[in-house]
């Protein structure tokens, strides 16, 4: 990894723009970004090997979420609706920036992206609960909001909520509020490696 002067993490809550009606289904996103996106049948967000060089070497953990267990209500629409704390390790030496994508491939009406976060400093190995780092930017989610859209698991449908960290070979030159297809495309074209933490919901 290139030499950098370590800097302390900065966290600040950011509110996204007012909600807009409707949800963009992931089918529409797939049409826009082709084979880029969500590993679900026929619509691979950034599936392994999407750029021919992607590895799954990053380890992603959380002090509040355990792999394969139910997502705590605090991080859903049934609780406070804040983003969970995440930690990661195992970044490639060439990592210049990080991105985080939260998605639900089993969402009613089609797979959904709940959060797109990019521009993160790889010298910082964690993301505190409910924050966006000072240097971070948020792309639009499936509801066209530049914010964390808390998952809403139903009792009738099984869900996997996937918190994926991407190591990027370059910083993403997009502003806050970039359209979902543009943000996912930029992440895909710069991905070196990824890691994923999966929580469940429903049933």
């Amino acid at each position: 990894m290139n030499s950098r002067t370590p800097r302390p993490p900065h966290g600040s809550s950011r509110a996204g723009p007012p909600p807009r009606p409707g949800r963009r289904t992931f089918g529409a996103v797939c049409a826009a970004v082709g084979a880029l996106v969500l590993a679900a049948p026929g619509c691979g967000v950034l599936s392994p090997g999407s750029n021919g060089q992607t590895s799954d070497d990053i380890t992603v953990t959380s002090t509040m979420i355990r792999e394969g267990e139910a997502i705590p209500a605090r991080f859903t629409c049934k609780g406070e609706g804040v983003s969970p704390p995440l930690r990661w390790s195992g970044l490639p030496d060439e990592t210049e920036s990080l991105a985080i994508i939260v998605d639900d491939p089993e969402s009613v009406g089609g797979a959904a992206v709940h959060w797109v976060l990019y521009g993160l400093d790889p010298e910082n190995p964690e993301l505190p609960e409910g924050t966006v780092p000072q240097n971070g930017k948020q792309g639009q989610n499936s509801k066209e909001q530049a914010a964390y859209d808390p998952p809403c698991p139903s009792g009738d449908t099984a869900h996997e909520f996937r918190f994926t960290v991407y190591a990027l070979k370059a910083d993403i030159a997009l502003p806050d509020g970039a359209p979902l297809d543009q943000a996912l495309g930029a992440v895909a074209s710069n991905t070196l490696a990824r890691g994923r933490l999966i929580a469940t919901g429903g049933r």
Side-chain angles (χ1 to χ4, degrees):
M1 186 179 298
N2 295 339
S3 176
R4 296 185 182 81
T5 301
R7 53 194 184 197
H10 297 280
S12 61
S13 296
R14 289 190 189 173
R20 298 172 62 175
R23 172 187 289 275
R24 294 176 66 186
T25 67
F26 210 75
V29 176
C30 286
V33 294
L36 267 191
V37 267
L38 292 163
C43 184
V45 168
L46 309 183
S47 57
S50 61
N51 63 6
Q53 301 176 346
T54 304
S55 70
D56 293 304
D57 295 337
I58 300 174
T59 299
V60 182
T61 60
S62 174
T63 56
M64 300 297 292
I65 297 175
R66 294 192 178 189
E67 176 72 25
E69 295 189 6
I71 185 171
R74 176 174 180 78
F75 309 117
T76 74
C77 65
K78 300 177 182 180
E80 287 80 356
V82 297
S83 59
L86 298 172
R87 290 186 61 87
W88 48 83
S89 61
L91 303 180
D93 290 342
E94 304 86 351
T95 304
E96 291 292 333
S97 184
L98 299 176
I100 296 174
I101 295 175
V102 180
D103 73 277
D104 171 10
E106 303 297 337
S107 178
V108 175
V113 177
H114 291 279
W115 201 23
V116 180
L117 183 62
Y118 45 89
L120 304 184
D121 185 352
E123 297 289 352
N124 184 359
E126 63 182 343
L127 181 69
E129 176 184 301
T131 65
V132 173
Q134 189 173 29
N135 55 318
K137 298 180 179 68
Q138 298 178 101
Q140 292 182 12
N141 55 37
S142 292
K143 289 184 177 178
E144 300 184 30
Q145 303 171 31
Y148 176 76
D149 173 34
C152 275
S154 71
D156 299 327
T157 305
H159 294 258
E160 283 188 347
F161 301 111
R162 308 188 296 186
F163 298 82
T164 308
V165 175
Y166 294 92
L168 308 179
K169 62 184 178 183
D171 200 6
I172 291 180
L174 290 174
D176 269 315
L180 177 58
D181 56 348
Q182 291 184 22
L184 293 179
V187 172
S189 63
N190 286 285
T191 294
L192 294 169
R194 73 172 190 177
R196 179 175 285 167
L197 174 64
I198 298 177
T200 62
R203 288 190 181 174

